[in-house]
């Protein structure tokens, strides 16, 4: 049995989609959902899905090892970031070397980096008159959105598309592909 921890800071629709995908899977379990925000809606979703949660402060995360110890105690094999907004500290990258992935709502290396998250990404894509955008699933390293790319999928940006419309298309791609890519990564562990 491979155990996944999902880190999320916000709404958590991807976290829920991933949890539902693996719900009756005998080889994969969503062991826990972790968040840096005590009022993140993802925590509500986790509760409804009967998944344990942990919240932590900046100090816990960067100056202590409680979060890592929690993951190790629970036997977590793989970490999935889904809308998690903080950089992963070096000690955790070392402990989970090659086993932390993220999804970004654009075609990296474009529209990535610090401050490029959520609607800001889609606003920038529309403002630049891009004709396509998409998702990037990538390994996580010490910099925002710079880890090796694992998978990308594209969708068109049409004349007159608003950032909200683009966000919807991108979310659809996220739901369609993220769980399957995670499953493939776990097979290689
Ligand atoms: C997604 O668009 C994901 O690509 C990005 O953050 C967003 C999270 O959305 N990293 P949700 O919280 O899963 O609804």
């Amino acid at each position: 049995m491979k155990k996944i921890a999902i880190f999320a800071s916000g709404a958590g629709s991807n976290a829920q989609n991933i949890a539902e995908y693996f719900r009756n899977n005998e080889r994969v379990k969503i062991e826990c959902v972790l968040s840096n925000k005590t009022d993140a809606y993802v925590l509500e979703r986790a509760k409804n899905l009967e998944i344990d949660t942990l919240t932590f402060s900046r100090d816990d995360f960067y100056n202590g090892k409680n979060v890592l110890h929690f993951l190790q105690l629970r036997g977590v094999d793989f970490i999935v970031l889904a809308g998690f907004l903080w950089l992963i500290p070096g000690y955790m990258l070392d402990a989970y070397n090659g086993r932390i992935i993220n999804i970004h709502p654009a075609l990296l290396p474009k529209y990535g980096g610090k401050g490029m998250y959520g609607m800001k990404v889609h606003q920038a894509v529309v403002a630049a008159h891009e004709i396509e955008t998409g998702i990037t699933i990538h390994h996580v390293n010490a910099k925002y959105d710079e880890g090796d790319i694992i998978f990308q999928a594209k969708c068109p940006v049409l004349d007159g598309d608003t950032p909200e419309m683009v966000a919807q298309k991108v979310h659809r791609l996220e739901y369609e592909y993220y769980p399957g890519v995670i499953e493939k990564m776990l097979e290689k562990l």
Side-chain angles (χ1 to χ4, degrees):
M1 168 76 81
K2 296 281 182 342
K3 294 184 180 176
I4 298 177
I6 301 179
F7 282 54
S9 304
S13 67
N14 275 283
Q16 176 159 354
N17 180 56
I18 294 163
E20 284 170 355
Y21 180 90
F22 289 111
R23 203 203 297 264
N24 296 314
N25 191 311
E26 285 165 8
R27 281 166 300 153
V28 179
K29 182 180 177 219
I30 306 303
E31 178 65 22
C32 47
V33 167
L34 287 82
S35 186
N36 57 311
K37 289 191 79 176
T38 50
D39 60 350
Y41 188 60
V42 70
L43 298 171
E44 198 65 33
R45 293 189 198 255
K47 200 171 138 201
N48 293 336
L49 290 158
E50 299 180 331
I51 299 170
D52 291 342
T53 60
L54 179 77
T55 58
F56 50 83
S57 67
R58 191 168 274 281
D59 192 50
D60 286 336
F61 202 44
Y62 293 107
N63 301 324
K65 290 200 173 165
N66 286 348
V67 178
L68 178 60
H69 292 154
F70 176 84
L71 297 174
Q72 289 173 333
L73 208 66
R74 313 273 312 219
V76 167
D77 300 289
F78 197 77
I79 298 175
V80 169
L81 310 186
F84 182 66
L85 296 180
W86 288 358
L87 280 178
I88 302 299
Y91 70 83
M92 202 172 285
L93 293 173
D94 290 343
Y96 281 94
N97 184 19
R99 292 184 290 145
I100 310 180
I101 66 171
N102 181 43
I103 190 163
H104 186 77
L107 297 171
L108 291 174
K110 284 176 139 183
Y111 307 105
K114 193 167 164 55
M116 266 293 168
Y117 61 89
M119 285 308 292
K120 293 182 190 187
V121 176
H122 309 303
Q123 283 157 1
V125 164
V126 169
H129 302 288
E130 294 285 354
I131 58 167
E132 60 181 17
T133 185
I135 58 168
T136 304
I137 298 169
H138 63 92
H139 286 284
V140 170
N141 66 16
K143 293 185 177 161
Y144 283 110
D145 305 323
E146 287 190 19
D148 290 345
I149 293 175
I150 300 162
F151 175 88
Q152 292 187 306
K154 294 176 180 176
C155 60
V157 180
L158 304 177
D159 257 1
D161 273 1
T162 62
E164 289 72 20
M165 290 156 84
V166 174
Q168 258 189 25
K169 293 187 209 184
V170 170
H171 257 120
R172 252 182 254 133
L173 290 179
E174 294 182 332
Y175 303 151
E176 185 177 349
Y177 291 109
Y178 204 14
V181 171
I182 294 166
E183 194 170 26
K184 283 218 180 70
M185 300 282 302
L186 292 175
E187 283 165 14
K188 287 191 251 162
L189 283 190

